[in-house]
């Protein structure tokens, strides 16, 4: 740190230093760590500084995610950075350390131990990231900005510092969003200290992978820093004629001329080349997961995405903080696959071909002004902001029957010919938003949270016949909560939040409302966080995917649905050597009113892929007196229905995972991870065919850190 920067820091009052320290690590505003950021973990015994009306610890930093599985801060929460203990919502954070312990290489694997989340319900059909929160599709964000038209991309966990999960409706925070919850990916930011990691991985299905993550200051004054992150993977999948290759490159530069001002630019590139499975397996029996009934010359999924992100933060040192993000992304997403359509005689089964070519681009950003003030025993934090999103996409789809296949003796016929697009759409989305959020803290015990937001949306589309349709929406959403801080260890809250799902032309927007009561406990003598929440969530005009009689899948709107439940979570470092991560969810879902186009009533039915019970436990133990560690995890998923009609149901299952780590040299580690340890096989989804869960996978990783 330069002398001038040190002088600025000394001139600040303690709570102002806390404000800047916390804001600088808040990725919602995409503010990188300042030059004064340190790697030290927060010391729970220290007295925290106050940021009105939020309690934070000034020693917190981005580096904490690499050293602990217990996160104490929510970086995006309500766009007013806050401690998780005092956040009036059910939230989970998967840190970098937890991701590395479990060697999670996909979003589904990252979320597998999070309560309220169900992943992998399409099994080895891994074209996209599939997961639900509290029975509903989840909305995804990167650094607090919606991924929107980039949603279908399989995200690369190595690119992220942490993954934050917010359960429940939150349109007031982020704009149009699904009611069950949201997932926010937090991008790795440049840091002003020298660090680095390089690794090589080999595993099942000829999986070869190498990656690097390095950074440092670029000048003696420590006002300029860089970070480069890269990964290359060459792999097959567990079924024949498959591949699962990807490449990810990301570089960023941060400029922090003073402790009050910071700007960051990040450029990243993602390319994946994979083979989608053949739409599942015949429903008459259980089949070997290695079998492939598609077409090797046609089953493909190629994705390329380039994103340029910029952010800026300035602290006026008088209670005002200005923050802004901006991101532009371009995407090409092309896939095609031949799949079993559920008809045929004997071992000769009929197949169809389906494919879509997509091009999309998106520009979105925000500008926010926050003002913090103290009036005797009342603290106030006010945030006003605007957001803008301009996105467009163009897609062309093909669909036709192809030659059948004898599943007893598969013979492939080659890529289908003569495919003619049956659908072509060009879509444009523009969203303009304005929001206000207010936190008031009374006597350091009561926190009143309120927010209101308006989203104005302009949508247009042009179909294959050049017919243009358009629609406009102006949707308001509100949020209110009361938090009671019992003491330094315990807080309770009650909240009401609304959601407005992203609308479609000519379709009434899906609106949701959730009531929630929760309690959180963070003991002072242990690095741990325990939470419990009960909720009641309803959504009107919900849209569901329904398999039609011709085998196609179409979305249909039903009347009203409700889910009630309980979420429990514990993350604790019980001793210096032992950490535990556990979660349990009870979820009772019901269609209150709704009828399909076929005339079938869904009233009283449960949601698809919404088990009543789910639970998980992950433990990690450093063997005393050795340089070895072991991990063991269990994931339980209760039975759930495969479709809205509730005509077919899964079995309850328990899967086990294991890990072993050996420190070869001072900075060199060997990590062995096994997912689905017992290689258990079961049906996770069923439509025209059955989808199986992924089988056992073993990886060995050698990493070097400096």
């Amino acid at each position: 740190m330069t002398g001038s920067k040190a002088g600025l820091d000394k001139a600040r009052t303690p709570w102002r230093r806390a404000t800047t320290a916390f804001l600088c690590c808040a990725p919602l505003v995409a503010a990188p760590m300042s030059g004064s950021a340190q790697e030290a973990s927060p010391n729970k015994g220290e007295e925290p500084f106050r940021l009105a009306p939020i309690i934070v610890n000034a020693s917190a930093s981005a580096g904490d995610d690499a050293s602990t599985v217990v996160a104490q801060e929510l970086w995006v929460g309500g766009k007013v950075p806050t401690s998780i203990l005092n956040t009036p919502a059910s939230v989970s954070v998967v840190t970098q350390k937890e991701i590395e312990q479990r060697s999670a290489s996909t979003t589904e694997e990252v979320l597998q131990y999070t309560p309220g989340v169900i992943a992998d319900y399409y099994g080895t059909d891994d074209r996209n990231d599939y997961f639900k929160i509290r029975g509903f599709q989840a909305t995804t964000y990167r650094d607090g900005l919606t991924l929107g038209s980039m949603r279908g991309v399989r995200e690369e966990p190595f690119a992220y510092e942490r993954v934050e999960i917010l359960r429940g409706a939150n349109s007031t925070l982020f704009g149009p969003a699904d009611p069950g919850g949201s997932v926010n990916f937090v991008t790795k930011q440049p840091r002003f200290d020298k660090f680095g990691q390089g690794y090589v991985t080999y595993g099942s299905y000829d999986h070869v992978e190498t990656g690097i993550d390095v950074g440092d200051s670029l000048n003696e004054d420590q006002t300029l820093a860089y970070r480069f992150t890269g990964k290359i993977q060459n792999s097959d999948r567990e079924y024949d004629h498959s591949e699962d290759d990807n490449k990810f490159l990301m570089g960023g530069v941060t400029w922090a001329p003073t402790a009050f001002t910071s700007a960051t630019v990040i450029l990243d590139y993602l390319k994946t080349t994979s083979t989608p499975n053949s739409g599942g397996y015949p429903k008459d029996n259980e089949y070997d997961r290695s079998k492939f009934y598609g077409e090797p010359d046609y089953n493909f999924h190629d994705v390329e995405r380039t994103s340029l992100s910029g952010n800026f933060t300035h602290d006026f040192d008088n209670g005002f903080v200005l923050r802004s993000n901006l991101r532009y992304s371009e995407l090409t997403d092309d896939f095609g696959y031949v799949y079993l359509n559920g008809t045929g005689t004997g071992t000769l089964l009929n197949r169809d071909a389906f494919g879509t070519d997509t091009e999309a681009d998106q520009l979105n950003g925000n500008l926010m002004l926050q003002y913090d003030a103290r009036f005797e025993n009342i603290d106030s934090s006010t945030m006003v902001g605007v957001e803008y999103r301009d996105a467009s996409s163009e897609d062309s789809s093909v669909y036709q029957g192809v030659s059948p296949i004898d599943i007893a003796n598969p013979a492939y016929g080659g890529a289908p010919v003569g495919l003619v697009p049956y659908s072509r759409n060009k879509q444009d989305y523009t969203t303009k938003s304005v929001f206000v959020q207010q936190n008031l803290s009374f006597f350091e015990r009561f926190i009143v949270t309120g927010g209101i937001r308006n989203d104005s949306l302009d949508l247009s589309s042009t179909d294959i016949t050049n017919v243009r349709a358009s629609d406009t929406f102006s949707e308001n959403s509100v949020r209110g909560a009361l938090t009671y801080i019992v003491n330094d260890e315990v807080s309770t809250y009650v909240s009401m939040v609304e959601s407005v799902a992203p609308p479609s032309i000519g379709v009434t927007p899906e609106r949701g409302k959730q009531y929630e009561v929760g309690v959180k406990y963070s003991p002072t003598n242990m690095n741990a966080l325990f939470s419990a929440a009960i909720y009641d969530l309803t959504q009107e005009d919900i849209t569901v995917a329904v398999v039609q009689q011709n085998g196609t899948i179409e979305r249909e709107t039903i009347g009203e649905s409700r889910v009630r439940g309980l979420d429990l979570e514990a993350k604790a470092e019980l001793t210096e050597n032992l950490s535990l991560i556990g979660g349990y969810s009870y979820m009772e879902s019901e269609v209150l009113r709704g009828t399909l186009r076929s005339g079938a009533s869904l009233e009283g039915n449960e949601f698809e892929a919404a088990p009543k019970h789910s639970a998980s436990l992950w433990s990690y133990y450093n063997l005393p007196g050795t340089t070895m560690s072991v991990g063991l995890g269990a994931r339980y998923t209760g039975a759930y229905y495969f479709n809205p009609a509730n005509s077919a149901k899964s079995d309850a299952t328990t899967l086990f995972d294991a890990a072993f780590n050996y420190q070869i040299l001072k900075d060199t580690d060997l990590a062995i991870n096994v997912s689905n340890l017992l290689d258990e096989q079961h049906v996770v989804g069923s439509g025209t065919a059955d989808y199986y869960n992924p089988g056992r996978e073993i990886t060995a990783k050698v990493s070097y850190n400096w």
Side-chain angles (χ1 to χ4, degrees), residues 89-91 114-118 131-141 165-171 176-183 497-502 510-514 516 535-539 542 561-563 567 585 587 607:
S90 181
V91 302
T114 302
V117 178
I118 298 299
F131 49 88
K132 292 184 176 183
I133 302 177
R134 291 182 173 176
F136 294 93
Q137 296 287 342
T139 307
T140 54
Y141 302 85
I165 302 94
L166 284 74
R167 287 176 285 272
N170 51 46
S171 288
D178 294 291
S182 301
V183 173
V497 291
E498 292 183 340
S499 69
V500 182
E510 303 173 9
R511 296 194 65 90
K513 181 178 292 185
Q514 176 183 277
E516 182 173 290
Y535 61 91
D536 184 310
L537 171 61
T538 59
Q539 185 178 32
I542 188 173
S561 297
R562 179 180 67 200
V563 58
D567 290 321
S585 291
M587 187 165 52
F607 296 3

Side-chain angles (χ1 to χ4, degrees), residues 28 53 73 105 129 136 142 188 233 296 322 378 380 395 409 411 473 475 492 572 579 584 615 630 683 697:
L28 173 65
E73 291 89 22
S105 60
D129 289 336
F136 294 93
R142 179 177 173 183
K188 291 178 175 177
Q233 173 181 305
L322 181 69
I378 301 175
S380 173
D395 61 79
N409 187 25
F473 302 89
E475 300 294 330
T492 62
S579 63
Y584 168 78
V630 294
V683 178
E697 186 169 353

Side-chain angles (χ1 to χ4, degrees), residues 224-288:
L224 197 64
Y226 83 95
R227 186 168 192 164
F228 174 78
T229 306
K231 170 188 167 180
I232 298 176
Q233 173 181 305
N234 188 289
S235 178
D236 296 334
R237 298 293 294 168
E238 60 188 307
Y239 43 90
D240 298 334
H241 309 288
S242 64
E243 64 178 332
D244 186 22
D245 303 339
N246 71 57
K247 179 188 300 181
F248 179 80
L249 302 170
M250 179 171 69
V253 177
T254 291
W255 178 57
T258 72
F260 299 100
T261 305
S262 177
T264 296
V265 176
I266 295 176
L267 176 66
D268 61 270
Y269 171 77
L270 174 68
K271 178 178 175 63
T272 64
T273 304
S274 61
T275 304
N277 205 348
S278 46
Y281 297 87
K283 302 169 68 173
D284 65 332
N285 214 330
E286 186 171 310
Y287 290 79
D288 191 320

Side-chain angles (χ1 to χ4, degrees), residues 154-228:
R154 291 171 59 196
E155 295 294 329
E156 173 50 61
F158 191 57
Y160 302 118
E161 227 45 272
R162 56 162 52 188
V163 178
E164 301 179 330
I165 302 94
L166 284 74
R167 287 176 285 272
N170 51 46
S171 288
T172 308
L173 305 181
F174 298 123
D178 294 291
S182 301
V183 173
N184 180 63
F185 302 97
V186 178
T187 306
K188 291 178 175 177
Q189 299 280 321
R191 294 172 12 208
F192 288 88
D193 58 323
K194 186 176 182 178
F195 68 94
Q197 180 193 47
Y199 73 89
V200 177
T201 298
Y202 181 77
S204 303
Y205 321 119
D206 295 323
H207 182 111
V208 179
E209 175 187 330
T210 184
I212 189 171
D213 184 24
V214 295
D216 197 0
S217 295
L218 290 171
N219 58 0
E220 293 183 359
D221 292 339
Q222 292 190 332
T223 60
L224 197 64
Y226 83 95
R227 186 168 192 164
F228 174 78

Side-chain angles (χ1 to χ4, degrees), residues 19-42:
T19 302
T20 301
F22 199 82
L23 290 178
C24 286
C25 68
L28 173 65
V29 300
M33 299 298 297
S34 72
S36 60
Q38 302 295 320
E39 283 288 324
S41 298

Side-chain angles (χ1 to χ4, degrees), residues 106-109 120-130 152-155 205 233 235-239 242-246 272-280 292 299-303 333 335 337 691-692 694 697:
T106 67
T107 299
E108 287 97 330
E109 291 174 355
D120 280 339
Y121 50 88
Y122 277 124
T124 54
D125 184 0
D126 55 359
R127 285 171 292 156
N128 302 308
D129 289 336
Y130 299 107
V153 175
R154 291 171 59 196
E155 295 294 329
Y205 321 119
Q233 173 181 305
S235 178
D236 296 334
R237 298 293 294 168
E238 60 188 307
Y239 43 90
S242 64
E243 64 178 332
D244 186 22
D245 303 339
N246 71 57
T272 64
T273 304
S274 61
T275 304
N277 205 348
S278 46
F292 180 76
N299 285 48
F300 68 93
H301 190 196
D302 299 333
V303 174
D333 186 344
F335 84 89
Y337 73 123
Y691 301 91
Y692 299 143
E697 186 169 353

